[in-house]
Amino acid sequence: MSVKEYLTERIRQGTIHLALLDPDKQDSAEAGIIARKVKEAGTDAIMIGGSTGVNSANLGATARAIKEMSGLPTIHFPGGPAELSGEVDSMFFMSMANSRDPFWIIGAQATASLYVKKLKIETISLGYIIVEPGMKVGEVGKAEPIKHGQNDKAAGYALACELLGMDFIYLEAGSGADAPVPPDMISAVKKAITVPLIIGGGIKTPAAAAAARLAGADAIVTGTFIESCADNNMLKAVVDASKGS
Ligand code: 1GP
């Protein structure tokens, strides 16, 4: 079964949880330990990526360690075309729809596509939409972040991505954001599209995860919280709230 089929199948049963590990934030051995912990907490798959400091070597080592320690499917969440690895199970082949720079909309993808094919990496197309504050990824990607309250604008971008053929849509507030994507924006986008909706950025409490799920998120991503949480019960509480279990 492909990773896309696996995710789609799980989403059919309810909201899933995706853990994001940044190879620039810990070494591969530590990433493997975190992966085992989040698997025990019930996470469904692991995304690997970051906006800066990721290269093919630390990406490959992290993917290998996660695989060995957890057996969970890995999804590369690329920060640019220079980092690629055949060690991942799949990658989000993504376009930052609301970037002001064509490089992040289609240029990076054109640079990487032939190598991705050569490495036989499963690609899952993703419409990536930055919501304020946007944080580092918004800055690096030269995004024009969607402001809170601009729900029609968010829905317009999301539906445009779906009509262009994207498999998934991701509303991103940015890693470490003070405020996650607002629930009313999630609901508005969910109503407009039929493909699965991923929500991430700034989710670090069970309440925030539950609010995103109840508003219509099909997948909830947590990165910073997973990487820094030493309390396994708290970890499980956030995963449970994401999944409604
Ligand atoms: C970043 O949405 C993800 O791309 C995760 O954000 O690190 O704030 O959980 P956090």
Side-chain angles (χ1 to χ4, degrees), residues 20 77 128 170 172 174-177 200-203 221-224:
L20 171 64
F77 181 48
Y128 191 49
Y170 189 152
E172 168 75 272
S175 186
I203 296 174
V221 181
T222 56
T224 308

Side-chain angles (χ1 to χ4, degrees), residues 13 16 46 56-57 71 84 91 94 105-106 112-113 123 126 128 155 177 180-181 185 195 197 212 224 228 234:
Q13 293 158 37
I16 64 168
I46 307 222
S56 300
L84 284 177
M91 73 184 288
M94 52 200 276
I105 302 171
I106 192 62
S113 60
T123 51
L126 180 79
Y128 191 49
V181 177
M185 185 180 285
V195 294
L197 177 59
T224 308
S228 57
M234 194 57 193

Side-chain angles (χ1 to χ4, degrees), residues 23-87:
D24 194 35
K25 300 246 183 81
Q26 65 275 303
D27 63 21
S28 57
E30 180 65 18
I33 292 167
I34 300 173
R36 192 162 60 189
K37 270 202 318 198
V38 292
K39 176 168 189 200
E40 280 160 13
T43 204
D44 295 283
I46 307 222
M47 290 162 55
I48 309 170
S51 299
T52 52
V54 184
N55 54 52
S56 300
N58 62 16
L59 168 65
T62 298
R64 227 175 10 256
I66 291 171
K67 209 72 214 161
E68 278 167 20
M69 294 289 279
S70 74
L72 284 170
T74 54
I75 311 163
H76 179 201
F77 181 48
E83 42 163 281
L84 284 177
S85 169
E87 301 276 357

Side-chain angles (χ1 to χ4, degrees), residues 17 22-23 27 30 52 64 70 80 95 99 109 111 113 142 145 149 167 199 203 206 219 235-236:
H17 178 264
D22 182 345
D27 63 21
E30 180 65 18
T52 52
R64 227 175 10 256
S70 74
S95 172
S99 174
Q109 299 77 352
T111 308
S113 60
K142 301 192 180 80
D167 294 321
I199 300 295
I203 296 174
L235 200 66
K236 184 149 172 44

Side-chain angles (χ1 to χ4, degrees), residues 129-194:
I129 301 161
I130 306 296
V131 176
E132 70 175 349
M135 308 301 284
K136 191 78 188 168
V137 71
E139 195 186 302
V140 172
K142 301 192 180 80
E144 207 167 88
I146 294 180
K147 295 189 168 57
H148 295 182
Q150 292 183 321
N151 295 350
D152 286 350
K153 190 171 180 181
Y157 268 106
L159 182 57
C161 289
E162 175 174 337
L163 297 179
L164 284 165
M166 305 295 193
D167 294 321
F168 290 82
I169 306 298
Y170 189 152
L171 287 185
E172 168 75 272
S175 186
D178 278 348
V181 177
D184 62 333
M185 185 180 285
I186 298 174
S187 300
V189 169
K190 181 66 185 167
K191 270 195 210 102
I193 62 173
T194 62

Side-chain angles (χ1 to χ4, degrees), residues 219-243:
I220 292 174
V221 181
T222 56
T224 308
F225 169 75
I226 293 293
E227 288 172 328
S228 57
C229 180
D231 177 346
N232 289 353
N233 291 330
M234 194 57 193
L235 200 66
K236 184 149 172 44
V238 168
V239 175
D240 282 350
S242 300
K243 300 177 71 161

